[in-house]
Amino acid sequence: MSRGKTAAAGWTVSASLILTTRRRRYCRNRERIRRVLNSFDAGALNCDSSFAKTGEKSVLNELQEKIASLSKELQKKDAIIESERVAHKAQLKDFITAVKVAERCREETKSELARLIAVCRNVNSPEEVLWFEVMQKFQCCSKRNALLAWAQARLTAYPSISVSNFASDWSDGRAFCALVHHFRPDMVERIMLLQRDECPKLALELAAKLNIRIDPNLFAGSKPDFRRVMAAVFELYKKLELTEQEC
């Protein structure tokens, strides 16, 4: 029994030594493998770092190129803005000069109108005095433009009726009737101004009531004689505008 126990104990010690040796060998191999793995990871990290640095460098180069491109574009924009500023300054100078010239011409025209009115009064021509008063009031150098400006001012309340001449714009008689309605709404109803076919006849009737002698065929054609239309409108001015001023 003692011999068996001794043999068993020997086998146990031998097995323990073998296991210890194997364990140590395994540990050494594990550490060696770990070191290899660590060295591999370090190499990989170094490789990734170099790649990262290379990527950063390419991105940096790209950003620098964009900055250079934007700088050139900015310089171009600055040059355009500067040229436009110079051009605007020159235009502003020309505009100011033109305004000064226009103001001077306006003052000269007003002085000339005042002088002509004084001359007309000395000549004792009442109708010419009236004409020049209209010209002075609307600051026009011609009878036609002055009378047209007066008619346009009195027709602002009638948006459907527009006059820019003394011919075709008066052919249907509506503008004539509207002027009468402006001063004497009791003589014509506003709704009548919408009846184009009736306005030529109505204009003649209103002229007769106001004792204004006009050609019966004045509003018969598409383009009446502007001189006759001016004469009729000027009679309206004398009959209606001056009467209102006196009142």
Side-chain angles (χ1 to χ4, degrees):
M1 291 293 295
S2 61
R3 186 180 293 178
K5 290 181 179 180
T6 302
W11 280 106
T12 301
V13 171
S14 298
S16 178
L17 289 173
I18 292 171
L19 290 174
T20 301
T21 302
R22 287 181 177 177
R23 185 186 299 168
R24 289 176 179 174
R25 188 181 299 168
Y26 171 76
C27 288
R28 285 196 299 271
N29 290 336
R30 186 178 64 182
E31 290 297 323
R32 189 181 299 115
I33 292 171
R34 181 177 292 175
R35 286 195 298 270
V36 171
L37 288 174
N38 288 337
S39 64
F40 177 78
D41 291 340
L45 288 173
N46 291 332
C47 183
D48 291 341
S49 177
S50 64
F51 277 124
K53 290 180 180 179
T54 304
E56 289 177 359
K57 189 174 182 180
S58 64
V59 171
L60 182 61
N61 291 335
E62 184 178 353
L63 288 175
Q64 289 176 345
E65 290 177 359
K66 287 184 178 180
I67 291 172
S69 176
L70 289 174
S71 297
K72 291 181 180 179
E73 188 69 21
L74 183 61
Q75 290 176 357
K76 291 180 181 179
K77 297 294 184 183
D78 288 340
I80 293 173
I81 291 172
E82 179 62 20
S83 64
E84 290 182 351
R85 187 187 67 80
V86 173
H88 175 71
K89 187 176 180 180
Q91 291 176 355
L92 182 61
K93 184 178 180 180
D94 293 341
F95 176 75
I96 293 174
T97 302
V99 169
K100 290 181 178 178
V101 171
E103 287 291 336
R104 187 167 61 251
C105 291
R106 178 173 173 270
E107 293 300 321
E108 291 175 354
T109 302
K110 287 177 66 176
S111 299
E112 182 65 14
L113 281 173
R115 186 187 68 80
L116 291 174
I117 289 173
V119 170
C120 288
R121 284 175 177 167
N122 292 331
V123 175
N124 294 323
S125 174
E127 186 163 312
E128 287 300 317
V129 171
L130 290 178
W131 272 116
F132 280 105
E133 285 179 351
V134 178
M135 293 166 65
Q136 186 181 40
K137 182 176 181 179
F138 292 95
Q139 298 183 2
C140 297
C141 296
S142 69
K143 295 178 180 179
R144 175 189 174 279
N145 291 339
L147 189 61
L148 188 61
W150 169 79
Q152 290 170 343
R154 299 299 176 264
L155 292 175
T156 53
Y158 308 89
S160 63
I161 301 175
S162 175
V163 292
S164 59
N165 56 57
F166 280 112
S168 58
D169 290 344
W170 300 79
S171 61
D172 57 6
R174 294 174 68 227
F176 189 93
C177 295
L179 283 176
V180 176
H181 179 270
H182 174 79
F183 293 97
R184 295 287 303 275
D186 58 303
M187 293 184 65
V188 55
E189 295 182 5
R190 182 161 185 154
I191 194 172
M192 294 295 295
L193 303 178
L194 301 176
Q195 301 178 12
R196 292 178 178 270
D197 296 337
E198 298 295 329
C199 281
K201 180 181 178 181
L202 179 61
L204 295 177
E205 293 175 356
L206 292 173
K209 291 179 180 179
L210 292 170
N211 295 321
I212 297 176
R213 297 179 60 183
I214 61 175
D215 184 354
N217 298 319
L218 184 60
F219 304 113
S222 60
K223 192 174 181 181
D225 182 17
F226 80 93
R227 296 178 185 84
R228 294 181 179 180
V229 174
M230 275 187 64
V233 175
F234 189 59
E235 289 299 318
L236 277 181
Y237 172 81
K238 292 190 292 183
K239 292 283 186 179
L240 301 176
E241 180 78 22
L242 296 182
T243 302
E244 184 180 73
Q245 291 178 3
E246 292 174 358
C247 295

